[in-house]
């Protein structure tokens, strides 16, 4: 009986996909992250583009919503929430266009290359097997900050 309870709670709270949330790559969902513009002026605004490509039979949940988080950086901060669209028929996150997350570059940012590090947290599910799990995708982008 104790083993049954352990398995039950593990499946309910951790999902039954084998420890996908601990890896840096997800075998069920390919994630591409890029900057809309690799160069932004001090005091300017930029956009992070996130594209999801799930394998057949996998969908990305729109609820709970995905979250973009950046490591502490005194020159770069997020603007608002990600611009996410959902599929009208299924209600799942639409993967037909990239998700956009705005950011702001401080006026005090020195010109040159700056590394943006962070994570994208999202939830995905298997249509056939019925499991869902959370995944934390690390991101690292290089931004060229230019003078005003």
């Amino acid at each position: 009986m104790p083993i049954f309870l352990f398995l039950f709670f593990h499946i309910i709270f951790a999902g039954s996909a084998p420890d996908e949330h601990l890896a840096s790559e997800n075998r069920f969902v390919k994630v591409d992250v890029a900057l809309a513009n690799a160069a932004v002026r001090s005091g300017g605004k930029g956009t992070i583009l996130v594209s999801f490509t799930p394998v057949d039979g996998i969908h990305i949940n729109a609820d709970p919503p995905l979250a973009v988080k950046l490591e502490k950086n005194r020159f770069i901060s997020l603007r608002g929430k990600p611009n996410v669209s959902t599929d009208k028929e299924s209600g799942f996150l639409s993967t037909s266009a990239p998700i956009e997350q705005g950011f702001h570059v401080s006026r005090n940012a020195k010109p040159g290359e700056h590394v943006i590090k962070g994570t994208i947290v999202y939830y995905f599910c298997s249509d056939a097997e019925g499991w869902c799990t959370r995944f934390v995708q690390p991101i690292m982008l290089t931004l060229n900050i230019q003078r005003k």
Side-chain angles (χ1 to χ4, degrees):
M1 186 68 155
I3 292 174
F4 172 74
L5 290 174
F6 170 77
L7 290 174
F8 175 76
F9 285 108
H10 180 72
I11 290 170
I12 295 298
F13 294 109
S16 62
D19 292 330
E20 284 298 324
H21 57 286
L22 300 176
S24 63
E25 293 296 322
N26 184 337
R27 67 183 170 120
F28 298 104
V29 181
K30 181 181 179 202
V31 179
D32 291 309
V33 183
L35 294 171
N37 294 305
V40 176
R41 296 192 183 279
S42 295
K45 298 175 183 178
T47 304
I48 298 170
L49 303 174
V50 182
S51 298
F52 292 96
T53 309
V55 298
D56 287 340
I58 298 291
H59 66 266
I60 312 294
N61 288 356
D63 188 31
L66 72 88
V68 178
K69 299 176 183 180
L70 298 183
E71 287 183 5
K72 191 167 183 138
N73 184 322
R74 63 185 191 163
F75 298 122
I76 300 167
S77 58
L78 294 178
R79 285 187 303 118
K81 296 181 180 183
N83 181 11
V84 177
S85 61
T86 56
D87 182 275
K88 292 179 183 177
E89 291 180 22
S90 68
F92 300 133
L93 186 131
S94 174
T95 57
S96 62
I99 291 162
E100 298 180 2
Q101 172 65 65
F103 65 89
H104 180 263
V105 177
S106 168
R107 292 176 190 225
N108 300 327
K110 295 182 181 180
E113 287 191 352
H114 293 258
V115 175
I116 302 173
K117 291 183 181 181
T119 57
I120 300 168
V121 179
Y122 63 96
Y123 295 81
F124 66 98
C125 299
S126 168
D127 299 326
E129 297 175 12
W131 53 258
C132 294
T133 193
R134 172 181 179 261
F135 193 82
V136 179
Q137 176 72 50
I139 62 170
M140 185 166 56
L141 301 163
T142 302
L143 176 66
N144 184 1
I145 297 178
Q146 299 177 338
R147 293 183 196 265
K148 286 186 183 181

